Amino acid sequence: MGAAEKLPWTQEEFEQRLREKGKSYHIYHPFHVMMYEGRLTQAQLQCWVANRFYYQISIPIKDAAVMSNCPDRDVRRGWIQRILDHDGVGGDEGGIEAWIRLGEAVGLSREDVTSLRLVVPGVRFAVDAYVNFARQRPWQEAVCSSLTELFAPHIHQQRITSWPEKYPWIKPEGLHYFRKRLTEARRDVVQGLQITLDHFGHSREMQERALDILQFKLDVLWSLADSIMLACCDVKIENDVTYSRIPR
C-alpha cells in the first residue's frame, strides 16, 4: 500500500457516512418545506402529485433493470419484492395504484394522473436519467443509488402527521401510499444497505464511489423538486414580470 493511499473506513464509519448524506435529502428542498408547513395551494399540491407519478411508474422499471443486470439469484429473489410492491400482486393493488388514489384525493381525475400530460420536461429528464443509470451501470451501483430509502420514512411520516391538519381538504384515503411505504422502505433498506456495505467496503476509493452514487440519486430527487417548483410557483424574473406555468 502506497504511503498516500487512504485506508478504508470501518463498516460502521462507512455506514455513518452514507447516512450523513441525508443532509442533502429533498425533505430540505424549499418546495418540500412549504409542503410540510401547509403553504402549498391545491393547484401546487396537484402539480406535485401529477409530476411525481412519473417517478412512481419508473421505480419498477428501474428495479427490473437492476434484476436484469444481476446474476445473483438470491439477490433477485429479494429485489423482486420491490416490483410487486409498486405494480401490485394478488389482493394488493400496489404503490402505483395507491398514488393514483392520492391524485384523486387531492382533486385530480385518474386521467389527469395516468395520462402524464401534466408532467414537465425537467421531471422526465431527471427520472429518465435515473432509470438509464440503473440500466447501464453495474447492478451494485444501481442498488447503492436506491439508498435514499434510508431517509424516506421520515418524509412519509411528515406527510401522514401534517397533512390532515395543514390540508384538511385532502381525502384521508389518499395517505395510504405513505403509510404503505413506511414499512416497505425500512425493509428495502436492509437489503440495499448490506449489498452496498459488502461490495463497496473493501477500499476507500470504492467507498467514496458509493457516496458519489448516493449523491447522484439525491441530486435526481432535488432536481425533481426544482422542476416541480418552477412549474407551479410564481417566479419573479425582471421588471416585475411573473413567470407561471399553471393557472391560479
Side-chain angles (χ1 to χ4, degrees):
M1 178 179 293
E5 188 171 347
K6 300 176 183 177
L7 292 171
W9 296 305
T10 66
Q11 187 171 94
E12 292 74 18
E13 290 171 334
F14 182 26
E15 179 176 343
Q16 182 59 33
R17 289 177 183 270
L18 289 167
R19 292 184 180 276
E20 286 174 357
K21 282 290 184 180
K23 296 174 183 176
S24 301
Y25 192 49
H26 64 173
I27 196 172
Y28 302 111
H29 190 282
F31 189 80
H32 286 286
V33 173
M34 289 170 61
M35 183 186 297
Y36 173 67
E37 293 177 348
R39 294 193 286 129
L40 296 186
T41 66
Q42 183 172 3
Q44 289 168 336
L45 202 50
Q46 288 174 341
C47 178
W48 175 75
V49 171
N51 276 274
R52 281 280 301 199
F53 184 68
Y54 189 66
Y55 178 75
Q56 300 307 131
I57 61 175
S58 299
I59 291 173
I61 298 172
K62 175 269 299 183
D63 288 325
V66 174
M67 292 180 61
S68 72
N69 290 329
C70 177
D72 189 317
R73 181 171 59 169
D74 288 335
V75 172
R76 295 197 306 268
R77 282 172 171 167
W79 206 265
I80 197 172
Q81 185 60 48
R82 298 168 185 246
I83 297 176
L84 300 178
D85 286 343
H86 281 84
D87 283 347
V89 62
D92 182 0
E93 292 183 324
I96 290 175
E97 183 62 31
W99 197 270
I100 296 171
R101 301 286 176 82
L102 171 61
E104 293 172 334
V106 300
L108 296 169
S109 70
R110 188 180 188 90
E111 174 66 14
D112 288 335
V113 179
T114 60
S115 68
L116 305 182
R117 66 179 181 83
L118 300 176
V119 179
V120 297
V123 167
R124 291 180 184 270
F125 188 85
V127 173
D128 290 349
Y130 180 42
V131 173
N132 287 333
F133 179 88
R135 285 173 172 157
Q136 296 168 7
R137 300 301 302 166
W139 66 272
Q140 297 96 332
E141 293 195 5
V143 167
C144 179
S145 72
S146 76
L147 285 182
T148 49
E149 292 165 340
L150 283 165
F151 324 118
H154 186 191
I155 203 168
H156 295 324
Q157 187 61 60
Q158 264 196 358
R159 292 163 187 158
I160 292 168
T161 302
S162 67
W163 280 20
E165 175 189 354
K166 305 294 187 181
Y167 307 102
W169 49 269
I170 298 177
K171 297 176 183 177
E173 57 267 27
L175 299 179
H176 174 65
Y177 176 85
F178 306 123
R179 295 191 184 96
K180 186 173 186 292
R181 286 305 297 165
L182 275 177
T183 53
E184 291 174 352
R186 291 188 178 104
R187 180 208 62 211
D188 292 345
V189 161
V190 173
Q191 183 187 24
L193 181 59
Q194 194 59 59
I195 290 171
T196 298
L197 293 175
D198 290 344
H199 178 74
F200 292 91
H202 301 293
S203 72
R204 178 71 70 86
E205 181 182 10
M206 289 287 286
Q207 291 171 332
E208 290 176 345
R209 171 62 181 159
L211 294 176
D212 288 343
I213 292 168
L214 183 52
Q215 185 62 55
F216 159 74
K217 174 60 183 307
L218 289 164
D219 290 345
V220 165
L221 295 177
W222 199 271
S223 295
L224 286 179
D226 279 346
S227 297
I228 295 169
M229 190 172 188
L230 179 61
C232 67
C233 296
D234 291 343
V235 179
K236 296 291 185 182
I237 302 174
E238 60 181 350
N239 300 325
D240 292 326
V241 174
T242 299
Y243 171 82
S244 179
R245 283 188 66 119
I246 65 172
R248 291 296 174 269

